[in-house]
Amino acid sequence: MIKPTGISSFNNYIFKNYAKDSSKLLVHVGTGVTVIGASAQVGMLLADKDIEGHTKKYLVNQEIITSGCCIGLYYTICDGTRRLTNKILEQGKFLTEKIALSIASLNDENKNPKVSQWKDVFTKDELKKGISNNLEHIQDTKIYKNTADSLKPQLFEYSQKILESFRGFKNGVSVLAVLAASIFAGNIAGPVLGNIIASLPAKKDCKIQPCGK
Amino acid sequence: MIIKSKSIGKFVDYSGRKLNAPQQALIMGASAVLFQPYINRKNKRLDDDTRDMAVARSIGKCIVANSSDFLARVVSIFAVAKLSNYITKSDKNNEDLVTELTPKSKLDIFAPNMKENFEPRTNKELLKDIKSYRYAMGALLATGFAVFLKTTIELPFTKKLTDYFYKREKLKKEIHDKTDGNK
């Protein structure tokens, strides 16, 4: 038995609080790194004697405002995308043919399951709870209750297999959607918005010192 | 909408399983190098000199910041994975129920050390939780490492690259002006 040390109590705290869901911590950590990085860059710009006064002023403003815009957009766009993707997927509005067929085949009346039949497996009220929830708690669904007792263990096992592939698909779509949203928020919308706001005082400077001359 | 293409389904599945934090940092970095200098170059509200400096700085900053971010994440995830080996104890009546989680050796400094305060869970659940814990721990370690990199290596490298790209921007403009003058 290895004796607990100071670092193990920190490890235990992280395990207790974030082992079930590390995504929140990852977002906060990402924001922290952005703030630290921007502060360091501002410090570097202020210390740089080679950059001219009004250029330095613009670059410092740009760094602070763009970082602020990126963080704000990251929280709104990325979180919104994650929630929307989750909702769309859980309602079955975006599915693979393989998963749709697997869900359709949960109903033993569907001898030759077709893709469109997956919707008939769950009731409207059940569908509102999401596909994952219905597959995970298949015992609470109408289809399970209507299945012969002898076939119930088989149905449960099969539903857990479908749940695993659905979660894999959901995770993949989520990762890709949030990555695309991050690129848009952090590399396109943030810098464009940051440039517009940071350029306002620079534009005033340009009126005094004609631009491009 | 039903996706009929098997290759799209496989790609989505692969992305969920294999697209980890360092790879995401690389994709973000590559797109930053692609978009941010272009956005700065198209900013017509600035005078030429400020614009050239902004373009040069965005290229330099994107390359250095994203490379160091990638490095910090790779090193941290690798360190946490290697130094968080653990051993478990199961319930006497139910082998699938884990009741204790302790480090495998003294070297495993990132492994939780939980005896009485460990909430029992199944082996499958524990594997999932450990994966998530390692991600969280890796991210925390990467933050510390990133702070170190940002304040030591990143700043001088950003300045060097900014100066290099600023000179290139100026050179490009000179060549462009000369060609225009010859016409």
mmCIF file of all heavy atoms in Angstrom, chain B residues 33-73:
data_model
loop_
_atom_site.group_PDB
_atom_site.id
_atom_site.type_symbol
_atom_site.label_atom_id
_atom_site.label_comp_id
_atom_site.label_asym_id
_atom_site.label_seq_id
_atom_site.Cartn_x
_atom_site.Cartn_y
_atom_site.Cartn_z
ATOM 1 N N VAL B 33 -3.488 29.662 -38.865
ATOM 2 C CA VAL B 33 -2.453 30.181 -39.785
ATOM 3 C C VAL B 33 -3.083 30.532 -41.139
ATOM 4 O O VAL B 33 -2.670 31.462 -41.823
ATOM 5 C CB VAL B 33 -1.301 29.158 -39.947
ATOM 6 C CG1 VAL B 33 -0.284 29.633 -40.967
ATOM 7 C CG2 VAL B 33 -0.615 28.912 -38.617
ATOM 8 N N LEU B 34 -4.109 29.778 -41.485
ATOM 9 C CA LEU B 34 -4.766 29.989 -42.777
ATOM 10 C C LEU B 34 -5.659 31.240 -42.760
ATOM 11 O O LEU B 34 -5.628 32.046 -43.693
ATOM 12 C CB LEU B 34 -5.631 28.747 -43.066
ATOM 13 C CG LEU B 34 -5.967 28.431 -44.501
ATOM 14 C CD1 LEU B 34 -4.711 27.947 -45.211
ATOM 15 C CD2 LEU B 34 -7.024 27.323 -44.555
ATOM 16 N N PHE B 35 -6.452 31.397 -41.693
ATOM 17 C CA PHE B 35 -7.459 32.471 -41.676
ATOM 18 C C PHE B 35 -6.968 33.808 -41.105
ATOM 19 O O PHE B 35 -7.274 34.863 -41.656
ATOM 20 C CB PHE B 35 -8.704 32.043 -40.889
ATOM 21 C CG PHE B 35 -9.485 30.938 -41.540
ATOM 22 C CD1 PHE B 35 -9.686 29.724 -40.916
ATOM 23 C CD2 PHE B 35 -10.034 31.121 -42.804
ATOM 24 C CE1 PHE B 35 -10.397 28.702 -41.520
ATOM 25 C CE2 PHE B 35 -10.763 30.102 -43.420
ATOM 26 C CZ PHE B 35 -10.931 28.896 -42.771
ATOM 27 N N GLN B 36 -6.263 33.761 -39.947
ATOM 28 C CA GLN B 36 -5.984 35.025 -39.238
ATOM 29 C C GLN B 36 -5.130 36.017 -40.027
ATOM 30 O O GLN B 36 -5.465 37.195 -40.074
ATOM 31 C CB GLN B 36 -5.407 34.724 -37.850
ATOM 32 C CG GLN B 36 -6.489 34.103 -36.956
ATOM 33 C CD GLN B 36 -6.101 34.092 -35.495
ATOM 34 O OE1 GLN B 36 -5.169 34.750 -35.072
ATOM 35 N NE2 GLN B 36 -6.825 33.303 -34.719
ATOM 36 N N PRO B 37 -4.024 35.581 -40.696
ATOM 37 C CA PRO B 37 -3.278 36.568 -41.494
ATOM 38 C C PRO B 37 -4.121 37.148 -42.621
ATOM 39 O O PRO B 37 -4.048 38.338 -42.917
ATOM 40 C CB PRO B 37 -2.109 35.751 -42.056
ATOM 41 C CG PRO B 37 -1.985 34.593 -41.156
ATOM 42 C CD PRO B 37 -3.357 34.283 -40.687
ATOM 43 N N TYR B 38 -4.972 36.306 -43.226
ATOM 44 C CA TYR B 38 -5.841 36.755 -44.314
ATOM 45 C C TYR B 38 -6.810 37.828 -43.809
ATOM 46 O O TYR B 38 -7.000 38.868 -44.453
ATOM 47 C CB TYR B 38 -6.610 35.554 -44.896
ATOM 48 C CG TYR B 38 -7.585 35.923 -45.987
ATOM 49 C CD1 TYR B 38 -7.139 36.151 -47.288
ATOM 50 C CD2 TYR B 38 -8.943 36.068 -45.712
ATOM 51 C CE1 TYR B 38 -8.028 36.504 -48.289
ATOM 52 C CE2 TYR B 38 -9.834 36.415 -46.706
ATOM 53 C CZ TYR B 38 -9.376 36.635 -47.994
ATOM 54 O OH TYR B 38 -10.264 36.994 -48.983
ATOM 55 N N ILE B 39 -7.405 37.571 -42.612
ATOM 56 C CA ILE B 39 -8.353 38.530 -42.017
ATOM 57 C C ILE B 39 -7.632 39.857 -41.750
ATOM 58 O O ILE B 39 -8.156 40.932 -42.044
ATOM 59 C CB ILE B 39 -8.978 37.950 -40.723
ATOM 60 C CG1 ILE B 39 -9.915 36.788 -41.069
ATOM 61 C CG2 ILE B 39 -9.742 39.014 -39.929
ATOM 62 C CD1 ILE B 39 -10.317 35.922 -39.893
ATOM 63 N N ASN B 40 -6.409 39.776 -41.220
ATOM 64 C CA ASN B 40 -5.652 41.002 -40.922
ATOM 65 C C ASN B 40 -5.252 41.744 -42.198
ATOM 66 O O ASN B 40 -5.246 42.962 -42.241
ATOM 67 C CB ASN B 40 -4.401 40.662 -40.112
ATOM 68 C CG ASN B 40 -4.722 40.450 -38.646
ATOM 69 O OD1 ASN B 40 -5.577 41.116 -38.091
ATOM 70 N ND2 ASN B 40 -4.067 39.501 -38.018
ATOM 71 N N ARG B 41 -4.913 40.968 -43.243
ATOM 72 C CA ARG B 41 -4.512 41.597 -44.506
ATOM 73 C C ARG B 41 -5.680 42.344 -45.130
ATOM 74 O O ARG B 41 -5.506 43.339 -45.822
ATOM 75 C CB ARG B 41 -3.973 40.521 -45.461
ATOM 76 C CG ARG B 41 -3.228 41.107 -46.652
ATOM 77 C CD ARG B 41 -2.471 40.061 -47.437
ATOM 78 N NE ARG B 41 -1.201 39.746 -46.817
ATOM 79 C CZ ARG B 41 -0.765 38.522 -46.569
ATOM 80 N NH1 ARG B 41 -1.509 37.495 -46.887
ATOM 81 N NH2 ARG B 41 0.403 38.323 -46.028
ATOM 82 N N LYS B 42 -6.887 41.832 -44.912
ATOM 83 C CA LYS B 42 -8.078 42.455 -45.516
ATOM 84 C C LYS B 42 -8.623 43.604 -44.671
ATOM 85 O O LYS B 42 -9.644 44.197 -45.031
ATOM 86 C CB LYS B 42 -9.187 41.391 -45.704
ATOM 87 C CG LYS B 42 -8.866 40.356 -46.769
ATOM 88 C CD LYS B 42 -9.023 40.931 -48.155
ATOM 89 C CE LYS B 42 -8.369 40.038 -49.192
ATOM 90 N NZ LYS B 42 -8.231 40.656 -50.493
ATOM 91 N N ASN B 43 -7.967 43.939 -43.556
ATOM 92 C CA ASN B 43 -8.448 45.018 -42.702
ATOM 93 C C ASN B 43 -8.027 46.377 -43.281
ATOM 94 O O ASN B 43 -6.910 46.845 -43.068
ATOM 95 C CB ASN B 43 -7.873 44.841 -41.284
ATOM 96 C CG ASN B 43 -8.485 45.790 -40.283
ATOM 97 O OD1 ASN B 43 -9.304 46.639 -40.642
ATOM 98 N ND2 ASN B 43 -8.090 45.651 -39.029
ATOM 99 N N LYS B 44 -8.935 46.986 -44.027
ATOM 100 C CA LYS B 44 -8.609 48.235 -44.740
ATOM 101 C C LYS B 44 -8.705 49.477 -43.848
ATOM 102 O O LYS B 44 -8.478 50.594 -44.289
ATOM 103 C CB LYS B 44 -9.540 48.406 -45.958
ATOM 104 C CG LYS B 44 -9.418 47.292 -46.987
ATOM 105 C CD LYS B 44 -8.077 47.304 -47.707
ATOM 106 C CE LYS B 44 -7.963 46.144 -48.687
ATOM 107 N NZ LYS B 44 -6.594 45.790 -49.021
ATOM 108 N N ARG B 45 -9.080 49.250 -42.569
ATOM 109 C CA ARG B 45 -9.218 50.400 -41.674
ATOM 110 C C ARG B 45 -7.849 50.889 -41.170
ATOM 111 O O ARG B 45 -7.785 51.890 -40.480
ATOM 112 C CB ARG B 45 -10.069 50.016 -40.470
ATOM 113 C CG ARG B 45 -11.498 49.662 -40.814
ATOM 114 C CD ARG B 45 -12.200 49.124 -39.577
ATOM 115 N NE ARG B 45 -13.523 48.645 -39.919
ATOM 116 C CZ ARG B 45 -13.772 47.426 -40.369
ATOM 117 N NH1 ARG B 45 -12.784 46.562 -40.517
ATOM 118 N NH2 ARG B 45 -14.989 47.063 -40.663
ATOM 119 N N LEU B 46 -6.797 50.135 -41.482
ATOM 120 C CA LEU B 46 -5.472 50.469 -40.930
ATOM 121 C C LEU B 46 -4.537 51.024 -41.995
ATOM 122 O O LEU B 46 -4.714 50.772 -43.184
ATOM 123 C CB LEU B 46 -4.830 49.200 -40.345
ATOM 124 C CG LEU B 46 -5.601 48.466 -39.261
ATOM 125 C CD1 LEU B 46 -4.924 47.156 -38.959
ATOM 126 C CD2 LEU B 46 -5.704 49.316 -38.005
ATOM 127 N N ASP B 47 -3.486 51.746 -41.518
ATOM 128 C CA ASP B 47 -2.458 52.188 -42.468
ATOM 129 C C ASP B 47 -1.586 50.975 -42.828
ATOM 130 O O ASP B 47 -1.600 49.953 -42.124
ATOM 131 C CB ASP B 47 -1.628 53.319 -41.869
ATOM 132 C CG ASP B 47 -0.938 52.919 -40.595
ATOM 133 O OD1 ASP B 47 -1.597 52.952 -39.525
ATOM 134 O OD2 ASP B 47 0.218 52.524 -40.670
ATOM 135 N N ASP B 48 -0.826 51.073 -43.923
ATOM 136 C CA ASP B 48 -0.061 49.936 -44.454
ATOM 137 C C ASP B 48 0.886 49.321 -43.429
ATOM 138 O O ASP B 48 0.986 48.098 -43.306
ATOM 139 C CB ASP B 48 0.763 50.381 -45.683
ATOM 140 C CG ASP B 48 -0.143 50.581 -46.882
ATOM 141 O OD1 ASP B 48 -1.334 50.230 -46.767
ATOM 142 O OD2 ASP B 48 0.341 51.094 -47.915
ATOM 143 N N ASP B 49 1.578 50.203 -42.684
ATOM 144 C CA ASP B 49 2.593 49.727 -41.759
ATOM 145 C C ASP B 49 1.979 48.899 -40.626
ATOM 146 O O ASP B 49 2.458 47.810 -40.310
ATOM 147 C CB ASP B 49 3.333 50.948 -41.187
ATOM 148 C CG ASP B 49 4.742 50.591 -40.818
ATOM 149 O OD1 ASP B 49 5.378 49.846 -41.593
ATOM 150 O OD2 ASP B 49 5.193 51.030 -39.742
ATOM 151 N N THR B 50 0.910 49.441 -40.039
ATOM 152 C CA THR B 50 0.237 48.729 -38.937
ATOM 153 C C THR B 50 -0.332 47.399 -39.452
ATOM 154 O O THR B 50 -0.234 46.374 -38.783
ATOM 155 C CB THR B 50 -0.905 49.598 -38.348
ATOM 156 O OG1 THR B 50 -0.362 50.871 -38.016
ATOM 157 C CG2 THR B 50 -1.518 48.972 -37.121
ATOM 158 N N ARG B 51 -0.890 47.452 -40.681
ATOM 159 C CA ARG B 51 -1.473 46.231 -41.256
ATOM 160 C C ARG B 51 -0.387 45.173 -41.476
ATOM 161 O O ARG B 51 -0.567 44.008 -41.121
ATOM 162 C CB ARG B 51 -2.197 46.556 -42.560
ATOM 163 C CG ARG B 51 -2.955 45.360 -43.093
ATOM 164 C CD ARG B 51 -3.940 45.655 -44.193
ATOM 165 N NE ARG B 51 -3.370 46.475 -45.244
ATOM 166 C CZ ARG B 51 -3.797 47.660 -45.568
ATOM 167 N NH1 ARG B 51 -4.806 48.189 -44.907
ATOM 168 N NH2 ARG B 51 -3.236 48.346 -46.534
ATOM 169 N N ASP B 52 0.759 45.594 -42.035
ATOM 170 C CA ASP B 52 1.852 44.636 -42.276
ATOM 171 C C ASP B 52 2.321 44.007 -40.972
ATOM 172 O O ASP B 52 2.588 42.804 -40.907
ATOM 173 C CB ASP B 52 3.036 45.343 -42.954
ATOM 174 C CG ASP B 52 2.714 45.716 -44.385
ATOM 175 O OD1 ASP B 52 1.711 45.185 -44.906
ATOM 176 O OD2 ASP B 52 3.444 46.544 -44.970
ATOM 177 N N MET B 53 2.434 44.859 -39.937
ATOM 178 C CA MET B 53 2.872 44.343 -38.636
ATOM 179 C C MET B 53 1.841 43.369 -38.067
ATOM 180 O O MET B 53 2.190 42.325 -37.521
ATOM 181 C CB MET B 53 3.106 45.527 -37.674
ATOM 182 C CG MET B 53 3.633 45.139 -36.307
ATOM 183 S SD MET B 53 5.161 44.208 -36.358
ATOM 184 C CE MET B 53 6.355 45.509 -36.172
ATOM 185 N N ALA B 54 0.540 43.714 -38.213
ATOM 186 C CA ALA B 54 -0.533 42.843 -37.702
ATOM 187 C C ALA B 54 -0.516 41.497 -38.424
ATOM 188 O O ALA B 54 -0.680 40.443 -37.796
ATOM 189 C CB ALA B 54 -1.888 43.523 -37.866
ATOM 190 N N VAL B 55 -0.281 41.524 -39.751
ATOM 191 C CA VAL B 55 -0.234 40.267 -40.534
ATOM 192 C C VAL B 55 0.955 39.431 -40.057
ATOM 193 O O VAL B 55 0.821 38.235 -39.756
ATOM 194 C CB VAL B 55 -0.121 40.569 -42.051
ATOM 195 C CG1 VAL B 55 0.165 39.289 -42.832
ATOM 196 C CG2 VAL B 55 -1.386 41.217 -42.567
ATOM 197 N N ALA B 56 2.141 40.087 -39.973
ATOM 198 C CA ALA B 56 3.355 39.366 -39.573
ATOM 199 C C ALA B 56 3.193 38.781 -38.176
ATOM 200 O O ALA B 56 3.569 37.625 -37.927
ATOM 201 C CB ALA B 56 4.546 40.324 -39.603
ATOM 202 N N ARG B 57 2.584 39.572 -37.270
ATOM 203 C CA ARG B 57 2.424 39.106 -35.896
ATOM 204 C C ARG B 57 1.452 37.934 -35.814
ATOM 205 O O ARG B 57 1.651 36.991 -35.061
ATOM 206 C CB ARG B 57 1.933 40.249 -35.016
ATOM 207 C CG ARG B 57 2.635 40.224 -33.691
ATOM 208 C CD ARG B 57 2.114 41.261 -32.748
ATOM 209 N NE ARG B 57 1.807 40.586 -31.507
ATOM 210 C CZ ARG B 57 0.626 40.161 -31.149
ATOM 211 N NH1 ARG B 57 -0.402 40.364 -31.926
ATOM 212 N NH2 ARG B 57 0.449 39.551 -30.007
ATOM 213 N N SER B 58 0.379 38.007 -36.617
ATOM 214 C CA SER B 58 -0.595 36.904 -36.550
ATOM 215 C C SER B 58 0.021 35.615 -37.068
ATOM 216 O O SER B 58 -0.246 34.546 -36.513
ATOM 217 C CB SER B 58 -1.886 37.255 -37.298
ATOM 218 O OG SER B 58 -1.613 37.497 -38.646
ATOM 219 N N ILE B 59 0.888 35.693 -38.108
ATOM 220 C CA ILE B 59 1.534 34.458 -38.606
ATOM 221 C C ILE B 59 2.476 33.924 -37.518
ATOM 222 O O ILE B 59 2.413 32.749 -37.148
ATOM 223 C CB ILE B 59 2.333 34.700 -39.915
ATOM 224 C CG1 ILE B 59 1.419 35.253 -41.016
ATOM 225 C CG2 ILE B 59 2.984 33.394 -40.393
ATOM 226 C CD1 ILE B 59 2.146 35.676 -42.290
ATOM 227 N N GLY B 60 3.342 34.810 -37.005
ATOM 228 C CA GLY B 60 4.311 34.393 -35.988
ATOM 229 C C GLY B 60 3.632 33.838 -34.759
ATOM 230 O O GLY B 60 3.988 32.761 -34.273
ATOM 231 N N LYS B 61 2.611 34.554 -34.285
ATOM 232 C CA LYS B 61 1.924 34.136 -33.057
ATOM 233 C C LYS B 61 1.202 32.798 -33.257
ATOM 234 O O LYS B 61 1.278 31.916 -32.411
ATOM 235 C CB LYS B 61 0.926 35.213 -32.633
ATOM 236 C CG LYS B 61 0.492 35.084 -31.195
ATOM 237 C CD LYS B 61 -0.603 36.047 -30.868
ATOM 238 C CE LYS B 61 -1.884 35.290 -30.657
ATOM 239 N NZ LYS B 61 -3.022 36.128 -30.342
ATOM 240 N N CYS B 62 0.507 32.650 -34.400
ATOM 241 C CA CYS B 62 -0.244 31.412 -34.644
ATOM 242 C C CYS B 62 0.703 30.212 -34.699
ATOM 243 O O CYS B 62 0.417 29.162 -34.113
ATOM 244 C CB CYS B 62 -1.030 31.491 -35.951
ATOM 245 S SG CYS B 62 -2.434 32.571 -35.849
ATOM 246 N N ILE B 63 1.836 30.366 -35.398
ATOM 247 C CA ILE B 63 2.771 29.239 -35.520
ATOM 248 C C ILE B 63 3.329 28.871 -34.146
ATOM 249 O O ILE B 63 3.256 27.716 -33.721
ATOM 250 C CB ILE B 63 3.929 29.571 -36.507
ATOM 251 C CG1 ILE B 63 3.371 29.705 -37.927
ATOM 252 C CG2 ILE B 63 5.010 28.490 -36.465
ATOM 253 C CD1 ILE B 63 4.381 30.172 -38.961
ATOM 254 N N VAL B 64 3.852 29.870 -33.426
ATOM 255 C CA VAL B 64 4.508 29.567 -32.145
ATOM 256 C C VAL B 64 3.495 29.129 -31.086
ATOM 257 O O VAL B 64 3.703 28.111 -30.416
ATOM 258 C CB VAL B 64 5.324 30.787 -31.647
ATOM 259 C CG1 VAL B 64 5.976 30.493 -30.318
ATOM 260 C CG2 VAL B 64 6.378 31.170 -32.661
ATOM 261 N N ALA B 65 2.387 29.884 -30.956
ATOM 262 C CA ALA B 65 1.417 29.567 -29.889
ATOM 263 C C ALA B 65 0.814 28.185 -30.089
ATOM 264 O O ALA B 65 0.704 27.409 -29.135
ATOM 265 C CB ALA B 65 0.323 30.626 -29.853
ATOM 266 N N ASN B 66 0.451 27.856 -31.335
ATOM 267 C CA ASN B 66 -0.183 26.558 -31.553
ATOM 268 C C ASN B 66 0.806 25.403 -31.464
ATOM 269 O O ASN B 66 0.445 24.319 -31.023
ATOM 270 C CB ASN B 66 -0.938 26.543 -32.884
ATOM 271 C CG ASN B 66 -2.189 27.393 -32.799
ATOM 272 O OD1 ASN B 66 -3.074 27.114 -32.016
ATOM 273 N ND2 ASN B 66 -2.245 28.460 -33.569
ATOM 274 N N SER B 67 2.074 25.649 -31.875
ATOM 275 C CA SER B 67 3.080 24.588 -31.730
ATOM 276 C C SER B 67 3.328 24.309 -30.254
ATOM 277 O O SER B 67 3.420 23.151 -29.836
ATOM 278 C CB SER B 67 4.409 24.978 -32.382
ATOM 279 O OG SER B 67 4.198 25.387 -33.678
ATOM 280 N N SER B 68 3.433 25.380 -29.440
ATOM 281 C CA SER B 68 3.711 25.147 -28.023
ATOM 282 C C SER B 68 2.493 24.541 -27.328
ATOM 283 O O SER B 68 2.628 23.715 -26.434
ATOM 284 C CB SER B 68 4.179 26.429 -27.326
ATOM 285 O OG SER B 68 3.109 27.283 -27.123
ATOM 286 N N ASP B 69 1.286 24.907 -27.789
ATOM 287 C CA ASP B 69 0.068 24.315 -27.238
ATOM 288 C C ASP B 69 0.034 22.816 -27.538
ATOM 289 O O ASP B 69 -0.269 21.992 -26.667
ATOM 290 C CB ASP B 69 -1.140 25.017 -27.872
ATOM 291 C CG ASP B 69 -2.406 24.809 -27.073
ATOM 292 O OD1 ASP B 69 -2.289 24.526 -25.876
ATOM 293 O OD2 ASP B 69 -3.505 24.948 -27.650
ATOM 294 N N PHE B 70 0.385 22.470 -28.776
ATOM 295 C CA PHE B 70 0.421 21.067 -29.196
ATOM 296 C C PHE B 70 1.445 20.294 -28.355
ATOM 297 O O PHE B 70 1.154 19.222 -27.820
ATOM 298 C CB PHE B 70 0.780 21.000 -30.688
ATOM 299 C CG PHE B 70 0.979 19.604 -31.219
ATOM 300 C CD1 PHE B 70 -0.101 18.756 -31.412
ATOM 301 C CD2 PHE B 70 2.245 19.135 -31.520
ATOM 302 C CE1 PHE B 70 0.087 17.465 -31.891
ATOM 303 C CE2 PHE B 70 2.442 17.850 -32.004
ATOM 304 C CZ PHE B 70 1.360 17.016 -32.190
ATOM 305 N N LEU B 71 2.631 20.888 -28.213
ATOM 306 C CA LEU B 71 3.703 20.246 -27.450
ATOM 307 C C LEU B 71 3.278 20.039 -25.992
ATOM 308 O O LEU B 71 3.463 18.947 -25.433
ATOM 309 C CB LEU B 71 4.962 21.130 -27.512
ATOM 310 C CG LEU B 71 6.212 20.556 -26.871
ATOM 311 C CD1 LEU B 71 6.779 19.450 -27.749
ATOM 312 C CD2 LEU B 71 7.283 21.640 -26.699
ATOM 313 N N ALA B 72 2.676 21.086 -25.404
ATOM 314 C CA ALA B 72 2.252 21.002 -23.999
ATOM 315 C C ALA B 72 1.235 19.878 -23.820
ATOM 316 O O ALA B 72 1.328 19.088 -22.876
ATOM 317 C CB ALA B 72 1.647 22.339 -23.559
ATOM 318 N N ARG B 73 0.278 19.786 -24.750
ATOM 319 C CA ARG B 73 -0.757 18.756 -24.629
ATOM 320 C C ARG B 73 -0.188 17.351 -24.799
ATOM 321 O O ARG B 73 -0.522 16.442 -24.044
ATOM 322 C CB ARG B 73 -1.862 18.996 -25.656
ATOM 323 C CG ARG B 73 -2.693 20.204 -25.325
ATOM 324 C CD ARG B 73 -3.864 20.291 -26.230
ATOM 325 N NE ARG B 73 -4.463 21.617 -26.221
ATOM 326 C CZ ARG B 73 -5.697 21.847 -26.588
ATOM 327 N NH1 ARG B 73 -6.444 20.881 -26.997
ATOM 328 N NH2 ARG B 73 -6.190 23.066 -26.565
#
